[in-house]
Amino acid sequence: MDKQQIQACGDELYQAMLTRTAVRPLTERFSDITIEDAYNISLRILERRTESGEKVIGKKIGLTSKAVQNMLKVGQPDFGHLTDKMAFSQGEEVQISDRLMQPKAEGEIAFILKKDLMGPGLTAADVLAATDCVLPCFEVVDSRIENWEIKIQDTVADNASCGVFLLGDRAVNPRKVDLATCGMVVEKNGSIISTGAGAAALGSPVTCVTWLANTLGQFGIPLKAGEVILSGSLVPLEPVQAGDFMSVSVGGIGGASVRFI
């Protein structure tokens, strides 16, 4: 793809987000689109968002489970950018009709950094040393692509299909919990719908954050102190609609809940 096509696709996806109107998959229209093209498209979307006043506050990691990687025929995760407009706190309601089109919620563990992380060459120990705390959270993914008919390039271009996220209100020292074995339980409207463990995300959420820091470090991009890093889902995606109430609890960390309106 040339620069003009990349910019046009970024502008199209940005407008799709604003108008809540899904578009045809990019991979159907551009047979030559690469993952590098897709990341450049996502950066164009980020440029439009920051021009409108949004501030970057972190990153999200996607495609951390082998099942999803196999579905999209990829061998590594992807990532997207988080802005302040995407952030919700425990007790807040998320209004679907205001910004989301095809939302699906997933339970995750969020990392809050206290020091910059600049790869490559970082280890899990480096990530833990740079992490201030971890919190339970919900990421609500969304797709600006019709009917979630995505290939890896489509989701990468669409900011890793990020919608919004909600952080729990209990922060825990990451060195005082086993993030690989901690269990997760997700409930929807009072019924348990899924369970998982930290190992579902590349063996440990810490591994996911290490991958991100090392991947971005190859391009001279640090993860910065104060940033929120969503480390990847530990449970299956769950479609949500107005009226749904979901809660997540993580062993040794705590819980979070969200009501959709």
Side-chain angles (χ1 to χ4, degrees), residues 59-138:
K59 307 284 190 299
K60 67 147 287 185
I61 306 168
L63 307 183
T64 53
S65 77
K66 282 299 181 184
V68 177
Q69 288 184 10
N70 291 339
M71 181 181 72
L72 294 180
K73 299 179 181 179
V74 293
Q76 65 178 30
D78 69 350
F79 67 89
H81 301 270
L82 305 176
T83 74
D84 55 346
K85 190 176 180 181
M86 302 178 189
F88 289 79
S89 299
Q90 178 68 28
E92 289 189 89
E93 297 176 326
V94 174
Q95 185 172 349
I96 289 178
S97 62
D98 182 48
R99 63 178 72 194
L100 302 173
M101 292 184 284
Q102 307 176 88
K104 301 181 181 185
E106 54 189 6
E108 301 194 13
I109 295 173
F111 288 61
I112 309 296
L113 301 182
K114 62 181 178 181
K115 297 192 300 184
D116 289 3
L117 277 171
M118 172 69 90
L122 296 175
T123 66
D126 296 321
V127 169
L128 287 174
T131 300
D132 180 40
C133 61
V134 292
L135 305 90
C137 73
F138 274 108

Side-chain angles (χ1 to χ4, degrees), residues 13 22-28 60 62-63 68-74 78 102 104 141-162 237:
L13 286 169
V23 302
R24 286 178 54 218
L26 302 183
T27 49
E28 283 186 4
K60 67 147 287 185
L63 307 183
V68 177
Q69 288 184 10
N70 291 339
M71 181 181 72
L72 294 180
K73 299 179 181 179
V74 293
D78 69 350
Q102 307 176 88
K104 301 181 181 185
V141 296
D142 197 18
S143 182
R144 274 58 63 173
I145 305 297
E146 291 176 346
N147 301 315
W148 277 98
E149 293 179 354
I150 56 172
K151 295 182 179 178
I152 178 63
Q153 296 95 325
D154 296 299
T155 185
V156 166
D158 192 22
N159 194 35
S161 302
C162 193
L237 298 172

Side-chain angles (χ1 to χ4, degrees), residues 6 9-10 13 26 33 37-45 157:
I6 286 169
C9 287
L13 286 169
L26 302 183
I33 185 172
D37 293 334
Y39 276 120
N40 284 324
I41 291 168
S42 75
L43 289 175
R44 173 59 179 172
I45 299 171

Side-chain angles (χ1 to χ4, degrees), residues 13-15 17-18 44-58 81-88 99 144 159 162-165:
L13 286 169
Y14 178 71
Q15 288 300 321
M17 178 190 72
L18 293 181
R44 173 59 179 172
I45 299 171
L46 184 65
E47 181 181 36
R48 293 293 304 271
R49 296 186 78 137
T50 54
E51 286 174 352
S52 73
E54 296 182 49
K55 294 179 174 59
V56 176
I57 60 170
H81 301 270
L82 305 176
T83 74
D84 55 346
K85 190 176 180 181
M86 302 178 189
F88 289 79
R99 63 178 72 194
R144 274 58 63 173
N159 194 35
C162 193
V164 301
F165 67 96

Side-chain angles (χ1 to χ4, degrees), residues 7 24-25 38 56 63 68 111 120 123 165 175-178 184 196 203 212 230:
Q7 180 169 317
R24 286 178 54 218
V56 176
L63 307 183
V68 177
F111 288 61
T123 66
F165 67 96
R175 291 162 291 283
K176 294 186 176 181
V177 59
D178 187 337
M184 174 177 284
L212 179 63
L230 305 187

